[in-house]
């Protein structure tokens, strides 16, 4: 059969991920910090995007004090406050708890080039197609504030409290001085202790090798003091001498090269570094193995002295450098707040502080496009307007989706909010996805890097999804997280004279109606960094 080229026309269907749809998916899985950074980048490169900094936004709280709240009820799964089902979208006619009257700042211009986008939100969120998100165009010459900042994003869908940026004049935190670092503290001591410039150079090099815990950690390419001497062009004795001097600096134990040396420096200051203690430090691995008999033999002391040495070691600071300020850990900023409602149930609302406020400057677009004659410039402005409108809609839909998923999680896990971890129910992504008519992948993206503030603490949304452990009596399954909590409670309350083995824990759990295997108990115990029964018996024996 001869091979010859030919033309064919075929019709088929394929899934196309447009750039707009890819951006919407990307925004959905970003954390609030990553989202802020992304919006800042868009503000820099898109001239039609403005940050919404209107002063009247905080006043919205007073205007909406009597709004209805959609509160997730405890047992029935219904919601108090007028809404039902926990669904914020999908009803025909836009009756989804977020009408145009509630989110007037989200209105977009129908006549804008955004209507020519090659992909719509119905491709990703088919349940929201019934709601009319577009409003009438503003008066000619006025900027249509297609802004995300116009709504408060509470569970009721109306305007609510919060969202006011702190007054820069009253931002006292930005005016506070930072804590002194370990390197600065060591440098101060070096400057008042050593006056020889060559020795100071050695000292500053050694300080640069100190990590946050206070230990001397050599960087790549440096293998000990010999390499430091070669790099600085000095004698090894000079480097060793400076290290000896600097190991006398505060905090005691700093500049040590190992845990043994750190403890030895602290014990020497307390005049407790006798030969027996030095031998004890040289055999710390025996302490980890609880081999007291071998320690007694090597140190030449009895078991009571070994116990006293262990008590002294425990009183030392293994990381002396951590007493100084370093990089301040950024606190977790919750995306969702859950509060008890007055009439029962729970109030679920978004943290408006984490929602970027941006608007599309239609007035600037009208001014510039009217004065532009070049075809490429007009195309550029059209693309910028399309991108800006899509970003605003993406941020809007992201907020609605997070709220929708959070409300359903609260409804499913009402026992946890009311009674604690022991009442956490088994839950998976499919259950939430089916309840709110979304895909599991969308729920997975929403619950990644998002946090919920409750009366019991701040939890990642992923925390509420746990596997199921069957019940011995055929009743409701138990959450794996609740079982782990129960195991920790049993171990914490065990008697020092009667340590619970894994088999005993299995028996006690089965008496409580939890059908679990011994290997599962061991896996959960190890995941919580709880030692075995043998190790716990040794620890409690030493501390007795």
């Amino acid at each position: 059969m001869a091979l010859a080229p030919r033309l064919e026309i075929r019709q088929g269907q394929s899934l196309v991920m447009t750039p707009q749809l890819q951006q919407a998916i990307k925004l959905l899985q970003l954390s609030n910090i990553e989202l802020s950074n992304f919006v800042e980048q868009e503000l820099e490169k898109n001239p039609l995007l403005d940050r919404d900094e209107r002063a009247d936004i905080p006043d919205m709280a007073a205007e909406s004090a009597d709004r209805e709240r959609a509160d997730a009820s405890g047992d029935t799964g219904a919601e108090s406050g007028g809404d039902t089902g926990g669904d914020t979208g999908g009803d025909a006619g836009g009756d989804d708890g977020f009408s145009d009257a509630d989110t007037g700042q989200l209105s977009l211009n129908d006549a804008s080039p955004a209507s020519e986008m090659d992909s719509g939100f119905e491709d990703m969120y088919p349940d929201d197609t019934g709601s009319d998100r577009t409003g009438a165009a503003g008066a000619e010459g006025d900027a249509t504030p297609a802004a995300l900042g116009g709504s408060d994003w509470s569970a009721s869908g109306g305007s609510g409290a919060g969202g006011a940026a702190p007054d820069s004049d009253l931002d006292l935190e930005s005016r506070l001085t930072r804590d002194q670092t370990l390197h600065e503290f060591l440098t101060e001591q070096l400057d008042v202790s050593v006056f020889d410039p060559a020795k100071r150079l050695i000292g500053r090099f050694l300080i640069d090798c100190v990590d946050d815990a206070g230990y001397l950690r050599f960087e790549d390419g440096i293998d000990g003091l010999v390499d430091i001497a070669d790099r600085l062009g000095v004698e090894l004795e000079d480097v060793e001498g400076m290290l000896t001097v600097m190991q006398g600096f505060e905090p005691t134990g700093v500049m040590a090269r190992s845990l043994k040396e750190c403890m030895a420096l602290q014990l020497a200051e307390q005049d407790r570094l006798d030969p027996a203690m030095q031998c004890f430090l040289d055999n710390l691995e025996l302490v980890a193995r609880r081999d007291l008999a071998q320690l007694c033999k090597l140190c030449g002391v009895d078991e009571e002295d070994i116990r006293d040495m262990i008590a002294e070691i425990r009183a030392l600071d293994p990381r002396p450098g951590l007493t100084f300020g370093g990089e301040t850990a950024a606190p977790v900023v919750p995306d969702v707040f859950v509060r008890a409602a007055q009439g029962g149930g729970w109030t679920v609302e978004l943290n408006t502080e984490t929602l970027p406020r941006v608007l599309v400057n239609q007035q600037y677009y009208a001014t510039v496009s009217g004065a532009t004659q070049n075809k490429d410039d007009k195309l550029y402005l059209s693309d910028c307007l399309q991108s800006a409108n899509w970003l605003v809609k993406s941020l809007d839909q992201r907020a609605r989706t997070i709220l929708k998923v959070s409300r359903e999680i609260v409804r499913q896990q009402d026992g946890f909010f009311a009674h604690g971890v022991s009442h956490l129910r088994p839950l998976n992504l499919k259950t939430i996805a089916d309840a709110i008519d979304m895909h599991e992948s969308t729920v997975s993206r929403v619950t990644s890097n998002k946090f919920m503030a409750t009366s019991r603490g701040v939890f990642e949304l992923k925390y509420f999804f746990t596997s199921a452990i069957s019940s011995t009596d055929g009743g409701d399954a138990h959450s794996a997280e609740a079982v782990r909590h129960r195991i920790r409670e049993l171990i914490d309350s065990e008697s020092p004279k009667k340590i619970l083995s894994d088999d005993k824990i299995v028996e006690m759990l089965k008496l409580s109606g939890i059908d679990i295997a011994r290997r599962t108990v061991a896996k959960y115990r190890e995941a919580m960094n709880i030692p075995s029964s043998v190790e716990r018996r040794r620890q409690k024996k030493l501390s007795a």
Side-chain angles (χ1 to χ4, degrees):
M1 181 177 180
L3 297 178
R6 63 179 180 178
L7 294 176
E8 289 186 356
I9 298 178
R10 294 182 180 179
Q11 185 177 6
Q13 291 182 339
S14 62
L15 179 63
V16 178
M17 294 287 288
T18 64
Q20 294 88 355
L21 193 58
Q22 292 177 14
Q23 183 191 72
I25 294 175
K26 177 182 177 181
L27 292 182
L28 201 59
Q29 60 191 6
L30 294 181
S31 64
N32 48 44
I33 297 178
E34 294 170 338
L35 180 65
S36 298
N37 295 335
F38 176 81
V39 172
E40 288 296 329
Q41 295 175 4
E42 292 296 319
L43 286 169
E44 290 179 1
K45 66 183 182 181
N46 194 331
L48 300 183
L49 275 177
D50 287 339
R51 185 180 286 103
D52 189 4
E53 298 176 346
R54 291 169 300 171
D56 58 342
I57 291 180
D59 297 333
M60 296 169 61
E63 298 173 1
S64 60
D66 57 344
R67 71 186 186 278
E68 290 186 346
R69 293 186 178 274
D71 302 327
S73 178
D75 300 326
T76 62
E79 295 184 353
S80 61
D83 288 347
T84 59
D87 193 356
T88 63
D91 297 335
D95 187 15
D96 58 356
F98 293 96
S99 63
D100 287 336
D102 296 327
T103 57
Q105 301 299 334
L106 295 169
S107 300
L108 299 177
N109 192 343
D110 286 341
S112 68
S115 60
E116 301 176 1
M117 290 184 294
D118 54 356
S119 176
F121 261 87
E122 62 274 8
D123 297 333
M124 182 176 179
Y125 304 102
D127 58 325
D128 286 338
T129 55
S131 299
D132 184 10
R133 301 297 181 199
T134 59
E140 183 177 357
D142 294 336
T144 303
L148 184 59
S151 63
D152 180 68
W153 294 118
S154 65
S156 64
S159 301
D167 190 348
S168 59
D169 295 335
L170 300 178
D171 189 7
L172 299 181
E173 292 183 1
S174 62
R175 303 174 183 269
L176 296 178
T177 58
R178 60 178 176 83
D179 294 335
Q180 187 180 37
T181 64
L182 175 63
H183 285 198
E184 293 171 347
F185 185 61
L186 293 175
T187 302
E188 288 182 359
Q189 298 179 76
L190 177 66
D191 292 341
V192 300
S193 302
V194 180
F195 301 99
D196 185 356
K199 292 184 178 180
R200 277 191 179 183
L201 177 63
I202 299 174
R204 290 182 183 276
F205 191 94
L206 291 174
I207 289 175
D208 290 338
C209 295
V210 176
D211 63 10
D212 292 338
Y215 286 88
L216 199 62
R217 307 295 188 192
F218 302 114
E219 61 184 21
D220 295 339
I222 298 179
D223 185 17
L225 301 181
V226 177
D227 286 348
I228 292 180
D230 293 340
R231 175 172 293 192
L232 298 179
V234 297
E235 297 294 333
L236 177 60
E237 292 77 8
D238 295 334
V239 179
E240 293 176 341
M242 277 304 304
L243 178 59
T244 301
V245 172
M246 299 179 69
Q247 284 182 343
F249 288 175
E250 294 291 337
T252 307
V254 75
M255 308 290 292
R257 288 161 289 184
S258 63
L259 176 62
K260 181 183 74 172
E261 187 175 23
C262 178
M263 292 182 173
L265 292 172
Q266 298 180 54
L267 290 170
E269 185 187 46
Q270 302 173 11
D271 197 20
R272 282 291 298 121
L273 192 61
D274 52 30
M277 181 62 78
Q278 185 64 57
C279 181
F280 179 86
L281 293 177
D282 293 337
N283 296 276
L284 284 177
E285 67 279 357
L286 296 178
V287 181
R289 297 204 301 263
R290 305 293 193 274
D291 193 350
L292 301 186
Q294 185 66 15
L295 277 174
C296 292
K297 181 178 179 181
L298 293 174
C299 298
V301 296
D302 56 19
E303 185 173 336
E304 183 177 355
D305 291 333
I306 291 295
R307 294 183 184 277
D308 292 339
M309 291 179 180
I310 293 176
E312 290 184 52
I313 291 296
R314 287 179 174 174
L316 301 178
D317 187 358
R319 298 179 180 87
L322 296 184
T323 56
F324 286 83
E327 290 292 333
T328 304
V332 173
V333 180
D335 300 87
V336 183
F337 292 114
V338 178
R339 302 181 179 93
Q342 293 182 355
W346 308 97
T347 298
V348 182
E349 59 184 6
L350 290 182
N351 182 7
T352 57
E353 295 290 344
T354 64
L355 300 178
R357 292 185 172 86
V358 294
L359 57 85
V360 181
N361 196 333
Q362 297 278 6
Q363 182 178 8
Y364 180 71
Y365 170 76
T367 302
V368 176
S369 61
T372 301
Q373 302 298 329
N374 187 284
K375 180 179 179 182
D376 294 336
D377 294 342
K378 286 183 175 291
L379 180 60
Y380 169 74
L381 288 175
S382 177
D383 292 340
C384 287
L385 183 60
Q386 176 179 320
S387 176
N389 283 332
W390 183 269
L391 176 62
V392 171
K393 291 187 68 175
S394 298
L395 293 174
D396 169 30
Q397 190 61 52
R398 175 184 181 273
R400 298 180 191 276
T401 307
I402 293 175
L403 181 61
K404 184 185 298 185
V405 172
S406 300
R407 290 168 65 181
E408 184 61 26
I409 290 176
V410 172
R411 191 181 72 85
Q412 295 282 350
Q413 298 289 7
D414 176 76
F416 167 82
F417 296 98
H419 306 291
V421 181
S422 58
H423 288 75
L424 197 65
R425 293 176 52 193
L427 186 64
N428 54 36
L429 297 174
K430 187 176 186 304
T431 303
I432 298 294
D434 292 342
I436 61 178
D437 295 328
M438 282 189 176
H439 196 271
E440 291 181 47
S441 62
T442 303
V443 177
S444 177
R445 292 186 180 97
V446 170
T447 54
S448 298
N449 302 316
K450 312 295 188 304
F451 294 87
M452 177 183 291
T454 72
S455 58
R456 301 187 179 278
V458 179
F459 301 90
E460 188 179 8
L461 295 185
K462 289 286 188 184
Y463 173 82
F464 299 99
F465 296 89
T466 60
S467 57
I469 296 179
S470 59
S471 176
T472 56
D473 55 5
D476 294 337
H478 301 270
S479 166
E481 183 64 28
V483 174
R484 281 192 288 266
H485 179 71
R486 177 59 177 160
I487 292 174
R488 180 178 288 278
E489 285 184 336
L490 291 174
I491 293 177
D492 290 343
S493 61
E494 66 184 0
S495 172
K497 297 182 179 179
K498 192 176 181 181
I499 303 299
L500 299 177
S501 64
D502 291 345
D503 290 326
K504 184 63 177 177
I505 293 176
V506 170
E507 295 178 6
M508 299 176 71
L509 291 177
K510 287 186 176 181
L511 292 177
S512 301
I514 302 174
D515 187 11
I516 190 172
R518 180 187 178 279
R519 63 178 179 276
T520 307
V521 170
K523 181 180 70 174
Y524 288 171
R525 175 179 52 74
E526 293 172 357
M528 294 185 291
N529 295 322
I530 298 177
S532 64
S533 58
V534 176
E535 290 294 324
R536 298 201 305 275
R537 185 177 293 107
R538 288 177 179 174
Q539 291 178 359
K540 295 187 177 183
K541 183 179 179 182
L542 290 174
S543 59

